[in-house]
Each structure stands twice: as structure tokens, then as C-alpha cells.
Amino acid sequence: MMKRMKKHELPVVPTANLVDIAILLIIFYMACSNFVSQSNVELKPPKARDLQKLQEPLVIVTIDKQGVIRMQGKEVPNAQAVETSVTVLVKDKKDDQKNVMFKCDAGVNREIFEPVMDAIVNGGGVVVAAGDNVKFP
Amino acid sequence: MYRRPKKKLLGQEAIPTTPLADMMFLLLIFFIMTTTLAKVTGFVTDMPSGQKGDQSQKQKTTSVALHDEKIAFNDQNVSMDELYKLVKGLRLDQKVGDAKVVIVSAAGMVNYQNYFETMAIIQNSGGVVAIETEGK
């Protein structure tokens, strides 16, 4: 008995569920997104041991390697402006919401970063110093 | 063969879903590009603002002095690794009140790396950092 040869059909990839998967991925990224607001800041973070993972606060102060002070991504002229802004931003906030993240380039001199740290504290904020965790021998 | 024409009901046109997948992918690419999933590492400082300590308190308290590239622990020059061991040995987490305070003073060309590392060592050992600044 002769068997009829079946025509070779190209396999079809089902795309009906593709949109569902894409929607799920979008929901995932929307739920855990943290928009990059300091992408234009060039700084090399300092390194220390035994650092903990932190929740990034709403208020962020950065000092890049040129010594330029930025608050929420926008350049500010001096430490006094940082103190004024921190006072306004943390006003009437609970103690655990007064955290101000401080990111500074490792090579910046104390004459630049010390007044800024004092300004954050005098403005009522709590300094959260950010850096890279390293393991020392 | 005669086929009856399909009746087209008013207001029941199918929504085109072909561009939906394109829009979904565009949104996905947008969120992938703008999202940071990495957690920031660091420590929370507990620095008091504007408090002035008296000289007698300073004499009793542990102090770390940073001058240029040098580090001095209670007036004794040490390296950063030695400072780590000495501060850990103080067991500041088991002390209370002023005994937990470590005064940090900086002078000269001190970079943020040394300052940060010193504060991290003290804070993570259970101590409280007190910054000594020059009087205005």
C-alpha cells in the first residue's frame, strides 16, 4: 500500500500570547522602576566595607569630580542653597522620611563636601552617604 | 453557488489589535532604558547639628584626625586597616551614651574617600560620628 507523502508545512510560532507576556513585563517594570535622575553626573563613588543596601530617598544631593553641586539633578551654586532646599523638602516630614542621599566623588576635597554635609544636617535632613561595598582582606 | 452576503451590524466593527503589540514593545523598551534595579549601598549617618561639646568631653572621647593622607587614632598614626581593627576592638555597639561617640576632625587636603571610609568604619561598628569643625 502506497502512503501519500505529507506536504512539509513550515512550523508556525503562535504569537497570540506575545502581547500578554509584553503586558506582564511592562507591569513588572512599572512597579519596580526607579527613574535615573543622575545619569549626567560623572562621579566615582568612594569604597568602604560593610555597607548596607539602602532605599533610595526622594532627596538626592550629588557632587561630581569637578566639584559641581547638584540637587535632584539640578545644579545649585553653593551649600547655602542646599540647606535652603533641604529645609523646604523635609519640612513637616516624619523622621524616617528626612533622609537625604549624599553622593560625592571620591577625590573631592573636604572644603567642598564638608559644607554641603553640614548644610544637609542644618536643614533638618539625615545624611545617607552612598558608596560602593568592597571586601578587604 | 450563491452565497448570502454577511450582514454587517452597525457599531460592531472589530478593533484592530495589530499595532497593540508594537505599542507594548515600545513601552517595554522605554521602561527598560529608564529603570535602575540596582540598590544603592551606603550607611545612614547620625550626625547632630550644631551641637557644641566642651573641652573636657573631647579629652575623654575617642578621636580620629584626618590630615592630608594621614590618619591619626587618638594621636597615633595608623593605616585604614589598622583603624578598622582598632575601632572594631572598641566594641562601640555595646556602649551607651557619650562612650559611643567618636570625634572625627579633618584638616588639609582630605579627600572624600578617606572621610567616607572613616565614617563608615565608625558607623558600622555601632559608634556615633561627631564632626569637629573649626570655630567660625
Side-chain angles (χ1 to χ4, degrees), chain A residues 18-19 22-23 25-26 28-30 32-36 45-56 99 101-111 113-114 117-118 121-122 125-133 136-137, chain B residues 17 20-21 23-25 27-28 30-50 80-81 84 88 104-117 119-121 124 131-134:
Chain A
L18 193 62
V19 176
I23 290 172
L25 282 170
I26 285 171
F28 166 74
Y29 278 105
M30 282 173 67
C32 61
S33 66
N34 182 15
F35 290 107
V36 177
K47 296 178 182 175
R49 62 195 96 189
D50 303 332
L51 298 179
Q52 297 98 34
K53 289 182 182 177
L54 303 167
Q55 193 73 25
E56 195 150 328
N99 290 351
M101 176 144 292
F102 180 67
K103 293 182 180 178
C104 181
D105 186 85
V108 171
N109 192 17
R110 71 171 187 91
E111 291 172 348
F113 67 76
E114 221 173 40
M117 292 180 81
D118 286 340
V121 174
N122 292 335
V126 174
V127 175
V128 177
D132 286 345
N133 201 1
F136 289 85
Chain B
T17 56
L20 183 66
M23 284 172 54
M24 290 294 123
F25 280 113
L27 281 171
L28 189 61
F30 168 76
F31 279 108
I32 288 171
M33 295 298 288
T34 57
T35 296
T36 52
L37 298 173
K39 286 281 186 183
V40 179
T41 52
F43 59 92
V44 181
T45 62
D46 187 18
M47 293 192 290
S49 63
M80 195 58 79
D81 288 337
Y84 177 78
K88 281 286 184 186
V104 176
S105 61
M109 302 293 287
V110 178
N111 59 27
Y112 186 62
Q113 171 63 44
N114 286 348
Y115 205 89
F116 178 86
E117 209 170 339
M119 287 177 59
I121 288 169
N124 293 330
I131 305 292
E132 184 182 12
T133 54
E134 294 168 355

Side-chain angles (χ1 to χ4, degrees), chain B residues 51 62 79 97 110 118:
Chain B
Q51 288 181 2
T62 309
S79 66
V110 178
T118 303

Side-chain angles (χ1 to χ4, degrees), chain B residues 70-134:
Chain B
K70 295 178 185 174
I71 305 163
F73 178 78
N74 289 340
D75 299 326
Q76 181 187 358
N77 284 340
V78 295
S79 66
M80 195 58 79
D81 288 337
E82 287 168 349
L83 176 69
Y84 177 78
K85 290 173 187 170
L86 287 166
V87 172
K88 281 286 184 186
L90 292 175
R91 296 186 182 275
L92 295 171
D93 52 339
Q94 297 174 3
K95 296 182 178 176
V96 291
D98 291 342
K100 292 170 78 76
V101 176
V102 177
I103 296 177
V104 176
S105 61
M109 302 293 287
V110 178
N111 59 27
Y112 186 62
Q113 171 63 44
N114 286 348
Y115 205 89
F116 178 86
E117 209 170 339
T118 303
M119 287 177 59
I121 288 169
I122 297 166
Q123 202 74 34
N124 293 330
S125 301
V128 174
V129 175
I131 305 292
E132 184 182 12
T133 54
E134 294 168 355

Side-chain angles (χ1 to χ4, degrees), chain A residues 37-38 40-43 60-77 82 101-103 116:
Chain A
S37 58
Q38 307 100 39
N40 56 342
V41 179
E42 289 180 19
L43 65 90
I60 300 172
V61 177
T62 58
I63 303 179
D64 64 9
K65 58 182 179 183
Q66 276 84 31
V68 176
I69 306 167
R70 287 187 177 87
M71 186 144 183
Q72 305 294 80
K74 294 180 183 175
E75 196 173 322
V76 293
V82 172
M101 176 144 292
F102 180 67
K103 293 182 180 178
V116 175

